[in-house]
Amino acid sequence: MKVYDELVARGLIAQVTDEQEIREMIDNGKATFYIGFDPTADSLHVGHFMALCLMKRLQMAGNKPIALIGGGTAMIGDPSGRTDMRSMMTQETIQHNCDCFKKQMERFIEFGEGKAQMVNNADWLLNLNYIDFIRDIGGCFSVNNMLRAECFKQRMEKGLSFLEFNYMPMQSYDFYYLYQHYGCNMQFGGNDQWSNMLGGTELIRRKLGKDAHAMTITLLLNSEGKKMGKTAKGAVWLDPNKTSPFEFYQYWRNVEDADVIKCIRMLTFLPLEQIDAMADWKDAKLNEAKEILAYELTKLVHGEEEANKAQAAAKALFSGAGDDSNMPTTEIPGDKLTDGKIGILNLMVLCGLAPSNKQARQLIEQGGVLLNDEKVPSAQFMVTEAQLKEGVKLRKGKKVFHKAVLA
C-alpha cells in the first residue's frame, strides 16, 4: 500500500487541496511539510500524539518534517476553537517550552542535516515591520471571507479582539515564509485550522503565482485529539515527571470501547492487516486490544523498558498480585498529619484522586474508594502515620490506582 493510501486507510485524512499532487509528493518522498505546535506548556500532551505519529510516518517514507513552534503567534493567541482570549506568556517562558518540546519530539522524529527541522516563528514574526507587513500581506486577505471562517464566527458572539484577528494573516505568513526559506511545500493541521491553512496556501499563490505548489491537508480527528489530553485530573502529558509511564499506560488502557480500534489504527505502527483482524474483537478480546494500544503507545513515548514495567504493574494490580513498585506515588509531608493521622478526604485530594473534599466524600459514599483493597467505610476514616510509613494503596473505582507514603 502506498503511503498516502495508508494515511487514508488509517483514518488520518479529512480534507485536502490538490489531492493528486499531494498523493504523488508524499508517496515519492518529495514533501517538505510543517505542522505547528503551540508552546503554551512545558510538555506536549496526548492531544499532540496524532501529529507526532504522522510526522514519524512521513519521515519514514522519505519526506522532511518541519516542527514549527509558534513562539511568535503564541504572543497573540489563536481564536480557533476558543471562547476566551488566551493569556500572554513571556518570551523566556515560550523559549523554555520550545526546548522541552524538542526533547520529546526526538522520540518520534530524527532531527539533523537533511532530516527534520525545528523552527520558531518568533524568528521572523518578531522582526516584522507592521506597516510593511500590512502593505505587503494585508491586501491578500478579505475581511468578509475571514469573518465567514468558523474560527472567527465562534468568537464573534463573545467578542473578537483586533489582536486575535491578526492570527490568520500571521499563520498564513508562516507558510509563505517557510515556502520561501525552507522549501516547505505542504502543511498539515487539524480541522479547526482549516481556514488558517487555506489562507496560507492562497497567500503563496497570490504572491508567487498560481503555479506555486503549496498544499494543504487536515487531519481527521486532530481537533478531537486535543480533547484526548484532558481527563478529570488534568492533562495527560508526555513528560514522565508530569504523567508517569504507569499513568500514561493506564490512560490508554482505559479508553472507551468504541475508540480502541480507531486509536490503534491511527496512533500505532502495527500493520493494518493485524489491526483489521481485531475489528470484531469483543469482551475479553477487546480488553486485550486495549492492552496492546497502551503498551505500543507507552513504548513509543517512554521506551520499551518503561512500557514493560507499566504493563507488568497493571497486570499485577488487576490480578490482585499487588505489585505497586511502578504505581504513581505521592509523598505526604509529616506536617499534613494531626496527632499522627490524616483524614481520608485530605489524603485523596493530596494524591490528586479528587479535586476537593466534597467530591472525595461523594466517591466514598458511593463505595468507589478502596484502601489496601478494603472499601473505605466512611468519609471520617483516618489513615495513621504507621500505615503511611508502610505505604498505603488507594484505588478509585476499578481502574485508578495510587500509592501514598510518608515523606
Side-chain angles (χ1 to χ4, degrees):
M1 184 182 292
K2 296 286 185 69
V3 181
Y4 185 84
D5 289 334
E6 181 174 353
L7 297 181
V8 173
R10 288 183 179 272
L12 291 167
I13 304 298
Q15 49 189 336
V16 302
T17 63
D18 312 290
E19 183 174 39
Q20 191 54 45
E21 288 186 79
I22 289 172
R23 180 190 298 273
E24 191 274 335
M25 292 173 70
I26 288 177
D27 287 347
N28 292 286
K30 296 179 181 178
T32 298
F33 67 96
Y34 92 86
I35 298 179
F37 294 85
D38 205 0
T40 53
D42 59 2
S43 173
L44 298 165
H45 58 68
V46 299
H48 297 112
F49 223 104
M50 189 179 302
L52 295 169
C53 292
L54 179 69
M55 295 174 85
K56 182 179 178 69
R57 291 185 203 281
L58 293 178
Q59 186 177 47
M60 289 168 63
N63 299 285
K64 296 180 181 178
I66 297 176
L68 174 66
I69 305 299
T73 39
M75 301 187 74
I76 294 176
D78 177 9
S80 300
R82 298 179 60 84
T83 57
D84 57 350
M85 188 171 172
R86 170 178 299 162
S87 59
M88 297 295 179
M89 296 184 295
T90 66
Q91 291 187 45
E92 291 76 18
T93 298
I94 291 171
Q95 185 57 54
H96 171 71
N97 293 348
C98 292
D99 295 339
C100 294
F101 279 17
K102 186 171 184 181
K103 291 179 182 178
Q104 293 171 1
M105 287 180 181
E106 286 173 343
R107 280 200 169 271
F108 293 82
I109 54 178
E110 188 176 358
F111 292 94
E113 187 69 29
K115 299 174 183 175
Q117 294 176 277
M118 174 177 278
V119 298
N120 186 338
N121 65 12
D123 293 343
W124 55 86
L125 292 181
L126 297 186
N127 295 323
L128 286 176
N129 178 288
Y130 188 70
I131 297 298
D132 290 343
F133 180 78
I134 292 298
R135 284 173 60 87
D136 186 35
I137 304 300
C140 297
F141 291 87
S142 163
V143 171
N144 290 345
N145 288 339
M146 291 174 68
L147 290 176
R148 282 193 287 268
E150 191 62 34
C151 62
F152 287 124
K153 286 196 292 186
Q154 292 175 5
R155 288 285 284 115
M156 286 292 286
E157 297 178 6
K158 290 194 174 183
L160 178 70
S161 72
F162 180 71
L163 185 70
E164 294 169 294
F165 199 63
N166 279 269
Y167 192 90
M168 183 183 287
M170 289 289 208
Q171 181 172 326
S172 299
Y173 186 81
D174 283 342
F175 194 17
Y176 176 57
Y177 187 93
L178 291 172
Y179 182 91
Q180 290 185 295
H181 294 83
Y182 292 86
C184 181
N185 50 26
M186 196 176 295
Q187 58 179 336
F188 284 75
N191 285 336
D192 59 338
Q193 293 292 326
W194 183 243
S195 298
N196 292 337
M197 294 165 67
L198 288 179
T201 297
E202 182 61 22
L203 176 61
I204 290 174
R205 293 179 180 178
R206 290 192 64 173
K207 295 294 293 181
L208 303 177
K210 292 184 179 179
D211 292 333
H213 292 284
M215 312 298 179
T216 301
I217 293 182
T218 66
L219 307 182
L220 179 60
L221 292 175
N222 191 259
S223 301
E224 180 178 314
K226 291 178 180 177
K227 299 173 188 175
M228 287 181 181
K230 301 295 181 181
T231 67
K233 280 185 67 177
V236 177
W237 305 102
L238 305 194
D239 182 345
N241 295 314
K242 289 176 172 288
T243 298
S244 72
F246 177 83
E247 290 174 302
F248 188 85
Y249 179 96
Q250 285 299 104
Y251 173 79
W252 294 107
R253 174 62 180 78
N254 296 330
V255 298
E256 298 292 333
D257 289 358
D259 295 331
V260 182
I261 302 303
K262 178 174 65 177
C263 287
I264 292 176
R265 184 172 283 116
M266 298 175 78
L267 302 177
T268 76
F269 289 79
L270 296 176
L272 281 169
E273 295 80 6
Q274 180 180 347
I275 299 170
D276 291 340
M278 302 178 189
D280 297 325
W281 285 9
K282 296 179 181 178
D283 302 324
K285 292 294 287 183
L286 194 58
N287 285 329
E288 182 182 337
K290 291 183 180 183
E291 292 174 358
I292 291 171
L293 171 67
Y295 180 82
E296 290 295 324
L297 297 189
T298 305
K299 182 173 69 172
L300 188 60
V301 173
H302 298 296
E304 188 171 6
E305 182 179 353
E306 291 297 335
N308 288 334
K309 288 180 182 178
Q311 185 179 62
K315 287 184 175 181
L317 288 168
F318 284 106
S319 68
D323 179 7
D324 60 8
S325 59
N326 294 298
M327 189 187 301
T329 301
T330 297
E331 294 187 348
I332 307 300
D335 59 10
K336 297 294 183 181
L337 278 64
T338 302
D339 297 329
K341 298 179 181 179
I342 184 171
I344 188 65
L345 302 183
N346 291 336
L347 185 61
M348 288 179 64
V349 172
L350 287 172
C351 291
L353 295 177
S356 65
N357 282 3
K358 180 180 179 181
Q359 292 195 29
R361 181 186 301 274
Q362 290 175 344
L363 288 167
I364 291 170
E365 291 175 349
Q366 292 166 1
V369 180
L370 282 73
L371 186 140
N372 292 337
D373 299 319
E374 297 288 336
K375 186 176 293 187
V376 174
S378 74
Q380 287 72 45
F381 185 81
M382 304 295 288
V383 179
T384 67
E385 182 176 4
Q387 287 177 303
L388 286 174
K389 284 182 178 178
E390 291 291 324
V392 295
K393 182 177 71 177
L394 292 163
R395 193 176 95 191
K396 182 177 74 172
K398 295 181 178 180
K399 302 175 180 178
V400 178
F401 293 86
H402 201 94
K403 187 177 180 180
V405 298
L406 192 66

